[in-house]
Amino acid sequence: MTEYGRGPGSEPWHPEDPLYGDGGWEGQQAHVGQQSAYGGQQQHHYPQQPGFGDWDDQQAAYGQTQQHQYDPQQHQYDQQQQYDPQHQQHYDPQNYAAQGQGQQPYDQGGWGDGTGAQQPHVPYPADPADLYGQQPVGPGGEQPDFYGTQDAYPPPEPPGRRRTEPEPETDWDPGPDQGEHAFFAGGDDEDDEPGERRGRGDRRGRGDKGTGGKGKGGKGKKGRNGTACLLVVVVLGGGLAGVGYFGYQFYQNRFAPAPDFAGSGTDQKVTVEIPKGAEGYVIGQKLKAAGVVKSVDAFVSAQANNPDGNKIQAGAYILKKEMSAASALDMMLDRKSQANVLVRPGERNVQVYKAIDQKLELASGATQKAAEKEYKSLGLPDWANDNKDIKEPLEGFLYPGTYPAAKGMKPETVLKEMVSQANEAYGKYDLEAKARELKLESPLQVITVASLVQAEGKTHDDFRKMAEVVYNRLKPTNTETNQKLQFDSTFNYLKNESNINISESEINSNQDPYNTYTQKGLPPGPIGNPGDDALKATMNPTHDGWIYFVATDGENNTEFAKTYAEFQRLKDKFNEASAN
């Protein structure tokens, strides 16, 4: 037993020990050769005894521990620091009683003098610089306490007991410890052991002080953990639902039949316009947008399963809402459902106007009046209407084809689409160059010849021969007809008729510019709307010398002749066929 604690003391360290002079918190060693203030003996540093392992335990071992106070701004516990031998007091706990060199047993609060008198308390110097100078002495012979004032720093604590500066108190509760996620934080404060040091974590219990926290035994952290768990469940549940939804959609798209209505539809009718060149998918989109079919895929599937599915033409169709895809396809293939106006090759404008009136359910003549009023705004080319005697400004520009024409549409809209189609067809050719090549005056005359070819010919071969007949009769060297065409079709256009039995007296008495029996050259403008075949034949006629022709059967069979004698034989053949 030693005087300083329970258990035997230890041997002093030898100066050659590698750890000799190690400057820990438990004590700073003087340099080798430095003498103690007590008998000039060399100081020795002793290992910490079991009773000195904790700061509080040291205090208990000494009774009332002498508080060594330091100035944290000045005093550094450094291995190289030296102390004034007069102030440095070091004690050998095992040999203290036997040394007898003025060293007295440690008494309560100070050093005894052998007589039981209490010696004054000797603190460490406040300033290391004073270790080598004279220390100030207060009243009564005591040195002043540098840490006893209000403005002094608190005395330092051992490294093992130092704490981080507390953060300022606020009304905001930061929740769980900053170093750990709220979801993975432990239970409430009841899980902590009594006396366990938490450091900054003690802020979790500030609710006991009225700062708004839950305090010990509260349910704040458990509530947060429950909320976090619920959030995770919601997220996972939403993810599983999303995966299930997309999985279902994938199955529906790949394996399930396309959504489709059942039956032939409701009583509600709609008009669907199919653009030129549209195929199955585009048609399906138009039908779905109008509410006719339920899905595009259903219509595409029905079209693929129908051998006539690809025969749907551009135009307007009157259909019903909510039809099965198969029923909608069948109705579109039926001409009765088509809300279109059809312009046939060679058809005159007066016939087209009448058809538009019927499709749009307008009064008779409404479309013709609109054409006469609005023809300049419908997109005609610059070379159109180059003759003041033209009777119909849109003649030759209502290009043959099928066009949407349903109730509610304006006639100008339908006509504009036809003119646009004519511009596209005529724009494929350099008509000005062709006009010069064919000894014609303008592109309009090319269209005029094409209208004559279309009106008089029946087949492709007829069209080319008929074109040669026109050019040969227009030649200045023509002595057979003297540059007169003498076409019945022009006179019938003038009269708005289709009569092949015209008396010579009637013909010869009419001097209208469109009467090619009495007027030389071409009529002022086209007499109908030529098709593409007739237009191509006009620009590529035969060169066989044809100048006469006769429809020997009165309708379909047209025969050609190079001389007037041959023409007379063909005319007799026609008269015989007409008599029968």
Side-chain angles (χ1 to χ4, degrees):
M1 289 291 290
T2 65
E3 297 179 6
Y4 299 95
R6 303 178 63 85
S10 62
E11 293 295 330
W13 285 3
H14 194 274
E16 297 180 357
D17 192 311
L19 299 179
Y20 181 79
D22 184 24
W25 172 261
E26 286 79 1
Q28 301 294 331
Q29 301 298 329
H31 292 287
V32 177
Q34 182 177 356
Q35 300 297 323
S36 172
Y38 300 96
Q41 295 183 359
Q42 183 176 356
Q43 290 184 343
H44 299 284
H45 181 79
Y46 296 91
Q48 183 176 351
Q49 300 298 323
F52 292 75
D54 190 86
W55 184 261
D56 294 336
D57 296 335
Q58 287 184 349
Q59 290 181 340
Y62 282 96
Q64 294 183 351
T65 304
Q66 179 180 359
Q67 299 292 331
H68 300 285
Q69 300 177 354
Y70 300 92
D71 186 347
Q73 297 179 348
Q74 300 291 336
H75 194 62
Q76 303 289 333
Y77 289 94
D78 195 327
Q79 183 173 351
Q80 297 178 356
Q81 182 175 332
Q82 297 181 356
Y83 297 90
D84 190 337
Q86 295 180 357
H87 295 91
Q88 184 172 2
Q89 299 179 3
H90 190 79
Y91 304 97
D92 185 349
Q94 293 184 349
N95 301 322
Y96 173 77
Q99 288 179 353
Q101 298 182 9
Q103 300 176 2
Q104 300 301 326
Y106 192 91
D107 205 337
Q108 296 181 353
W111 298 100
D113 59 358
T115 62
Q118 185 70 24
Q119 297 298 324
H121 174 72
V122 183
Y124 283 103
D127 189 348
D130 294 338
L131 291 172
Y132 302 98
Q134 184 67 30
Q135 300 293 328
V137 180
E142 296 183 355
Q143 293 183 350
D145 186 358
F146 293 95
Y147 301 98
T149 65
Q150 294 181 353
D151 298 332
Y153 285 97
E157 295 183 9
R161 295 293 301 275
R162 293 179 184 175
R163 301 181 181 178
T164 308
E165 289 294 330
E167 296 182 1
E169 294 288 339
T170 64
D171 292 336
W172 173 69
D173 186 0
D177 293 344
Q178 299 295 330
E180 129 182 84
H181 194 280
F183 178 73
F184 298 100
D188 55 13
D189 294 343
E190 294 179 357
D191 296 336
D192 297 329
E193 294 295 333
E196 186 176 67
R197 292 179 296 175
R198 300 181 188 170
R200 293 176 64 180
D202 289 338
R203 295 172 64 188
R204 291 178 295 178
R206 284 190 292 151
D208 295 336
K209 298 178 183 181
T211 60
K214 289 293 182 182
K216 189 172 183 179
K219 298 181 180 180
K221 184 181 293 186
K222 289 182 179 179
R224 288 191 296 269
N225 289 347
T227 302
C229 290
L230 178 59
L231 178 61
V232 170
V233 171
V234 170
V235 171
L236 292 177
L240 291 175
V243 171
Y245 172 77
F246 287 110
Y248 174 76
Q249 291 297 323
F250 178 82
Y251 171 80
Q252 287 290 102
N253 294 335
R254 291 300 184 94
F255 305 107
D260 195 5
F261 291 122
S264 58
T266 65
D267 294 335
Q268 185 177 0
K269 294 182 179 180
V270 293
T271 301
V272 180
E273 182 177 345
I274 304 301
K276 183 180 179 181
E279 297 180 353
Y281 191 79
V282 176
I283 297 175
Q285 287 181 318
K286 294 285 185 180
L287 297 178
K288 184 177 183 298
V292 176
V293 298
K294 193 170 186 179
S295 68
V296 176
D297 291 341
F299 180 79
V300 172
S301 178
Q303 190 179 34
N305 294 328
N306 191 317
D308 297 329
N310 294 327
K311 295 183 179 181
I312 296 177
Q313 298 180 353
Y317 295 84
I318 300 176
L319 304 172
K320 298 179 180 180
K321 281 199 170 185
E322 299 185 6
M323 303 181 69
S324 68
S327 298
L329 179 62
D330 292 340
M331 182 171 284
M332 294 182 73
L333 294 174
D334 185 358
R335 290 187 176 273
K336 295 179 180 179
S337 68
Q338 297 179 8
N340 306 320
V341 59
L342 177 63
V343 180
R344 297 175 178 86
E347 196 167 26
R348 302 170 189 170
N349 280 8
V350 290
Q351 297 169 313
V352 177
Y353 296 152
K354 184 178 180 180
I356 294 175
D357 288 341
Q358 292 175 348
K359 290 293 182 178
L360 302 185
E361 300 183 13
L362 300 175
S364 178
T367 301
Q368 185 169 3
K369 290 179 181 178
E372 293 173 355
K373 181 180 180 181
E374 304 292 341
Y375 76 91
K376 292 183 179 180
S377 64
L378 299 180
L380 290 171
D382 296 337
W383 43 264
N385 299 307
D386 62 353
N387 193 312
K388 61 181 181 62
D389 293 326
I390 291 177
K391 297 183 180 298
E392 173 55 51
L394 294 181
E395 197 74 72
F397 294 95
L398 303 183
Y399 198 76
T402 303
Y403 300 92
K407 181 180 179 180
M409 297 178 65
K410 293 182 178 180
E412 300 94 314
T413 302
V414 181
L415 295 174
K416 189 173 184 178
E417 182 63 25
M418 295 176 179
V419 173
S420 176
Q421 190 64 29
N423 287 332
E424 182 179 346
Y426 299 156
K428 296 177 182 178
Y429 313 101
D430 188 352
L431 295 183
E432 291 186 0
K434 278 295 180 180
R436 291 191 298 267
E437 179 183 341
L438 298 171
K439 305 296 190 294
L440 299 175
E441 296 179 2
S442 66
L444 182 62
Q445 285 194 342
V446 177
I447 305 304
T448 301
V449 172
S451 68
L452 298 172
V453 169
Q454 182 78 64
E456 298 289 352
K458 305 302 179 183
T459 65
H460 175 73
D461 290 339
D462 288 351
F463 291 156
R464 294 190 66 203
K465 293 178 180 180
M466 193 65 67
E468 184 183 0
V469 169
V470 173
Y471 298 135
N472 286 336
R473 290 190 180 188
L474 292 176
K475 290 179 179 180
T477 58
N478 174 22
T479 59
E480 296 289 334
T481 63
N482 298 317
Q483 296 180 334
K484 295 178 181 177
L485 293 180
Q486 296 181 348
F487 281 8
D488 291 346
S489 57
T490 59
F491 190 82
N492 285 329
Y493 178 82
L494 168 64
K495 303 294 288 187
N496 192 23
E497 299 174 347
S498 295
N499 188 6
I500 62 174
N501 295 314
I502 305 173
S503 66
E504 293 184 3
S505 60
E506 183 181 2
I507 292 175
N508 294 330
S509 61
N510 190 313
Q511 299 297 317
D512 190 275
Y514 279 86
N515 184 0
T516 57
Y517 281 99
T518 60
Q519 306 298 320
K520 291 183 179 180
L522 294 171
I527 62 171
N529 295 287
D532 189 60
D533 199 10
L535 180 61
K536 290 179 180 179
T538 299
M539 294 184 291
N540 185 29
T542 61
H543 299 279
D544 299 330
W546 308 114
I547 194 171
Y548 296 100
F549 66 94
V550 176
T552 55
D553 64 351
E555 294 182 5
N556 299 321
N557 188 21
T558 303
E559 298 185 47
F560 295 85
K562 298 178 182 178
T563 64
Y564 183 76
E566 292 177 354
F567 167 68
Q568 287 296 334
R569 287 195 295 268
L570 294 178
K571 189 175 181 181
D572 292 340
K573 188 178 180 179
F574 167 75
N575 291 331
E576 291 176 2
S578 299
N580 296 330

